[in-house]
Amino acid sequence: MDKVFVNETGNATPESKQLGLYIHIPFCKQACHYCDFHFSTSLGKKKELVDALCKELVLRKDEIAGVVQTIYFGGGTPSLLNAEELEQIFTTIAANFNIGKNPEITLEANPDDLTEEKLVIFANSKINRLSIGVQSFFEEDLKLMNRAHNATEAVKSLELAKKYFDNISIDLIYGMPEMSDDRWKKNLDQAIALDIPHISSYALTVEPNTALYKFIEKGVVKPVDDAVAQAHFEILIDRMQLEGFENYEFSNFGRQGYFSQNNTAYWTGKSYLGIGPSAHSYDGSVRSWNINNNPKYIEEIQSNKLPIERESLSVTDKYNEYVMTGLRTIWGISLDHIKINFGIKYKEYAVEQAKKHIEAHLLFVDGERILVTKKGKFLSDGLASDLFLINLS
Ligand code: SF4
């Protein structure tokens, strides 16, 4: 099948600026207990929403210059889209954007949606990568999280998905209440046995305004324990290393050739245009975000208005973001990059702040780069904030 996505405006050169497109599909079958993303369980307005997404794509086609190298359908649950809706979105993108030669096109999918019929639809579209929200292969965990799929569907969906896609990522959550080390190890065994080339793995976090938060407050569910999460993270990084995966970002593990191009572009400060309710965009200087309300979003877009708020980033904001994202990756932060893009004072500040962490073997220096050691990994957010600048005067 033809996976090459071409359009008539395609004139990418090696110097062309890279652009990512993010499309937010704000619908889910049911609410997971831990989730604080923007979504609605009422699917009645799905068609209007897709029409609005397409209209927003047209309204914002010239907002950020660049050649589209990645397209990411996130949510919510993008696997709820049908063949016509996907086609409508791809046709709109092709007619309005300059698309690179072989863009990575990812769709987030939930296991309960991945029937053979649905996988054929996805495989026949431009999608060439699936990110599947497995979260756990155990019934107890899936019930606690209120996921829409069960443990059997988790395995079956991956076996089926592998028939149609080579580039597959799964999400797994660790540090859940009642999740023993042994159960976490068995989750990893299952992922390895299924030969999945990319794993994104996150500690369960308890966000305010979620059902999980209330259950913990009422004592119905045990609170999460940071020490358990850290132990699970250590099990994860040791096992993934043993299996030949690169821990190329704190939460992401990929075999060579399977790193997420979309996420890597984000972590390395590339521009992206976010379409749909609650979607964020970044053009290198300005960050913006759409309203997180489906009916209001549709209404505004239908009347040719963009329901967007914007914030200009200062040099210090950009430096802080660079440090935050860079220290989470295997590429670390470049002192040359800091000097060129933010100024010598920022470089001197970073070097000075890093000193004590280098002595404590939490950070190390490789040429002109500063990176996090294995010992420092679980602390990388704290290490980054120690290098942040509040005000350089
Ligand atoms: S499927 Fe994803 S977006 Fe939807 S409620 Fe669950 S975690 Fe949130």
Side-chain angles (χ1 to χ4, degrees), residues 51-85:
D51 289 343
L53 292 177
C54 291
K55 189 157 181 193
E56 190 189 354
L57 280 164
V58 177
L59 291 172
R60 299 179 73 189
K61 67 187 171 111
D62 298 320
E63 187 174 310
I64 306 177
V67 175
V68 175
Q69 300 290 4
T70 60
I71 301 174
Y72 193 96
F73 289 86
T77 311
S79 49
L80 292 172
L81 291 173
N82 61 35
E84 293 72 38
E85 290 161 346

Side-chain angles (χ1 to χ4, degrees), residues 319 335-336 338-339 343-352:
Y319 161 83
L335 294 173
D336 288 349
I338 292 175
K339 186 175 152 193
I344 184 76
K345 280 188 175 175
Y346 287 84
K347 177 185 165 181
E348 287 167 358
Y349 181 81
V351 169
E352 188 55 36

Side-chain angles (χ1 to χ4, degrees), residues 21-29 37-40 43 46 49-50 53 71-87 89-90 105-114 118-119 121-122 125 127 129-133 135 147 171 275:
L21 278 184
Y22 173 83
I23 319 275
H24 191 79
I25 308 298
F27 299 108
C28 293
K29 283 185 193 159
F37 294 147
H38 171 64
F39 67 92
S40 163
L43 274 71
K46 185 151 75 90
L49 196 284
V50 172
L53 292 177
I71 301 174
Y72 193 96
F73 289 86
T77 311
S79 49
L80 292 172
L81 291 173
N82 61 35
E84 293 72 38
E85 290 161 346
L86 278 170
E87 188 55 34
I89 296 170
F90 281 129
I105 305 179
T106 307
L107 180 111
E108 285 183 354
N110 279 348
D112 44 301
D113 289 330
L114 291 180
K118 209 70 194 263
L119 279 159
I121 291 172
F122 297 153
S125 75
I127 296 157
R129 182 172 183 271
L130 289 182
S131 171
I132 305 176
Q135 315 309 352
R147 296 291 306 187
D171 287 352
I275 300 292

